[in-house]
Amino acid sequence: MDFFYVFGKMIELFLIILIGYIACKCGTFGKEARLHVTRMVLNIAIPGITLASVLTQDDLPGTMEILGLFAVAFSSYAVLIAGAYVVPKLLRVKAAEEGIYRFMLAFANVGFIGYPVTQAIFGDKAVFYTCVFNLPFNFLAFSIGVIFIQKSAASAEGQEGGGAGMAITYRMFLTPCLIASVFAIVLALTGWKGPALLGDICTMLGNITTPAALLVIGSSLADMPVGEMFGNWKAYVFALFRLLVLPAVVYFIYRGFVTDKLLLGVCVILSAMPVATNGTMLCLQYGVDEKLMAQGTFITTLASLVTIPMLAMLFV
């Protein structure tokens, strides 16, 4: 594994977060700007990169191989989501924060960090495996993940039962991100890639996603006192579960029946990524205080400099 390459990618993250932090402090990227950028990313950029992940593949595997990859990917998220329900209950977090912690435990940054890290550890073949894991991520993060965020919003507004009785309607599943995820899965299974121009356009739009999301996180952190940014002990406990405990659980569950060592390794490493940058933007989108999500994203990204190489040596 090229540790310096992975380390360099992580430094890129921190520098862009820092730019967002400074921009907010200077008054050029405040909350109103965060909201506008968030809507653009969620409605245009992420659907673009989701479709591009399939449209730009030179050689898609056969349908049965892709179905096998999907089965492992979706089921691994079932393990993470189960953990996301258990851990907040054990730590007795506030009802208004429970959905945010659930999102942080269930959904990791399998995109921007996932691609270079898996490629550095496993080689070029791992890139397509990571692409497959990104499709269920987008589907679940923008359905179940949104439900987590909305329940926190309902609890913060004082609704009875912490939002447990929140109505789930078909409109929740008609977001651009979710629609793009469904189309991408269909495209992967059918092998249809369309004209190269379409893939290039989706890629160009999708390239906005990561820098914009990191700027939003940095800007959100700027609204927090420095002591508060690092002073939440529960964030460190959740980081431990997010980065080490849940990936270890995934490894011990799957090592018995996933015979493809590359697939097992990619599954474990992707489950060990820091919190997904999309979480902060979803909080902004649905009116939830995004500071806790931004804090969790920052802490897990910082800690992953150590935990990802550690897991690679232990389990891969």
Side-chain angles (χ1 to χ4, degrees):
M1 178 176 62
D2 189 341
F3 287 96
F4 290 103
Y5 179 78
V6 174
F7 184 79
K9 300 306 291 185
M10 307 299 287
I11 293 299
E12 288 178 19
L13 295 181
F14 290 118
L15 290 177
I16 299 175
I17 289 173
L18 179 61
I19 291 170
Y21 183 93
I22 295 171
C24 183
K25 289 295 187 183
C26 293
T28 58
F29 195 59
K31 187 159 188 175
E32 185 176 350
R34 291 201 297 268
L35 288 169
H36 288 301
V37 170
T38 293
R39 293 189 185 105
M40 177 192 69
V41 171
L42 291 177
N43 294 320
I44 298 175
I46 292 178
I49 199 65
T50 301
L51 293 171
S53 66
V54 176
L55 292 172
T56 57
Q57 289 293 321
D58 294 328
D59 186 25
L60 291 171
T63 301
M64 294 308 297
E65 182 178 350
I66 293 176
L67 286 174
L69 293 175
F70 273 136
V72 174
F74 270 105
S75 61
S76 69
Y77 278 106
V79 175
L80 296 175
I81 290 170
Y85 272 95
V86 172
V87 176
K89 294 295 185 184
L90 292 176
L91 295 180
R92 298 181 180 180
V93 302
K94 298 176 183 177
E97 297 178 348
E98 195 171 80
I100 297 172
Y101 280 117
R102 283 178 178 171
F103 186 99
M104 289 195 290
L105 288 167
F107 300 110
N109 192 338
V110 297
F112 179 72
I113 303 178
Y115 283 111
V117 167
T118 54
Q119 185 179 34
I121 296 173
F122 304 106
D124 292 338
K125 188 176 179 181
V127 173
F128 179 73
Y129 283 37
T130 306
C131 168
V132 171
F133 273 80
N134 266 276
L135 296 179
F137 165 83
N138 285 321
F139 181 81
L140 295 169
F142 293 102
S143 54
I144 293 175
V146 168
I147 292 172
F148 289 163
I149 300 296
Q150 288 187 328
K151 286 188 175 182
S152 276
S155 297
E157 293 169 2
Q159 293 186 16
E160 187 68 26
M166 180 190 64
I168 299 175
T169 69
Y170 74 93
R171 294 182 186 276
M172 294 175 57
F173 299 96
L174 294 180
T175 63
C177 289
L178 202 53
I179 292 170
S181 298
V182 173
F183 271 112
I185 291 172
V186 172
L187 292 174
L189 292 175
T190 59
W192 187 85
K193 294 193 293 184
L197 177 64
L198 181 59
D200 292 341
I201 292 171
C202 289
T203 299
M204 188 175 294
L205 290 172
N207 286 340
I208 302 169
T209 303
T210 297
L214 295 171
L215 288 171
V216 167
I217 291 168
S219 176
S220 298
L221 289 171
D223 288 339
M224 299 174 63
V226 175
E228 184 180 340
M229 190 187 306
F230 293 99
N232 179 8
W233 67 269
K234 287 183 180 178
Y236 293 97
V237 176
F238 275 87
L240 177 66
F241 276 92
R242 162 73 275 170
L243 299 174
L244 290 175
V245 176
L246 289 179
V249 170
V250 168
Y251 172 78
F252 285 111
I253 289 176
Y254 285 88
R255 68 172 182 168
F257 60 89
V258 175
T259 57
D260 183 343
K261 291 185 177 180
L262 173 60
L263 176 56
L264 177 61
V266 170
C267 183
V268 172
I269 294 300
L270 289 181
S271 68
M273 293 293 113
V275 174
T277 54
N278 302 343
T280 301
M281 293 185 292
L282 286 173
C283 287
L284 285 163
Q285 176 91 342
Y286 292 98
V288 178
D289 188 348
E290 80 280 9
K291 295 185 185 66
L292 176 59
M293 187 77 78
Q295 180 189 48
T297 304
F298 176 75
I299 289 172
T300 55
T301 302
L302 181 63
S304 65
L305 282 168
V306 176
T307 58
I308 289 174
M310 184 189 304
L311 283 171
M313 289 186 290
L314 286 174
F315 297 134
V316 177

